[in-house]
Amino acid sequence: MVTTLRSTVILAATLAALLVPSASYADLRGTAFGGYARINKSDKGTYGASVALGGLIGLEAEVARTPLGLLDNVDIVDVDTDITTYMMNLVVRAPIGRIQPYGSAGVGVVKASGSVTIPGLGRVFEADAKDVGWNIGGGLYLFPAKH
């Protein structure tokens, strides 16, 4: 029992030492982004922001919103919907100059929200639902100065 606990502590300390960047390689990055999400055979615009901390391996907290807009197939009332995601990602980047490719993957919460508005009465109903979600992505970091 003590040997197992000791091995677990040593493994955790070793991983922490390897994953924590030295001061000269640690970055704090803020990113705004936009793009498209494919939902029910339709492309929807999405936008958000993230904050990442780390060196070649780091952590990123991300919030994104995808307005789904008004549902066209509902007469008389307006049904407005959107999806918001809150994700925590592991980010790995390749240090090959001022343009650095990266990959990321993570888990978090996906929140779908909607409201019903009746002309003359205003908003009469609101609802939301939450579920666990995951993401996989990648891109390029552009560093304008030598990094």
Side-chain angles (χ1 to χ4, degrees):
M1 180 79 147
V2 173
T3 304
T4 304
L5 178 61
R6 183 180 308 158
S7 297
T8 303
V9 170
I10 290 171
L11 177 62
T14 303
L15 286 174
L18 291 173
L19 292 176
V20 173
S22 66
S24 62
Y25 293 107
D27 291 320
L28 177 63
R29 295 177 302 279
T31 306
F33 60 86
Y36 288 96
R38 185 91 171 144
I39 299 173
N40 293 334
K41 299 180 184 178
S42 176
D43 289 332
K44 301 292 184 179
T46 187
Y47 58 91
S50 67
V51 175
L53 175 65
L56 302 180
I57 299 174
L59 293 176
E60 173 186 59
E62 173 188 300
V63 177
R65 186 175 189 99
T66 305
L68 301 177
L70 296 174
L71 298 180
D72 296 332
N73 58 351
V74 181
D75 295 332
I76 302 173
V77 299
D78 293 330
V79 179
D80 193 15
T81 57
D82 63 70
I83 295 175
T84 305
T85 60
Y86 307 91
M87 298 288 171
M88 183 59 75
N89 302 319
L90 179 68
V91 179
V92 179
R93 72 175 191 206
I96 56 173
R98 293 184 180 174
I99 299 175
Q100 297 182 1
Y102 72 91
S104 69
V107 296
V109 175
V110 177
K111 178 183 173 188
S113 304
S115 64
V116 176
T117 303
I118 298 175
L121 293 177
R123 185 174 289 174
V124 295
F125 181 75
E126 291 184 28
D128 64 35
K130 296 178 185 133
D131 204 350
V132 175
W134 58 272
N135 68 68
I136 297 173
L140 295 172
Y141 284 125
L142 306 174
F143 295 100
K146 186 175 180 183
H147 189 76

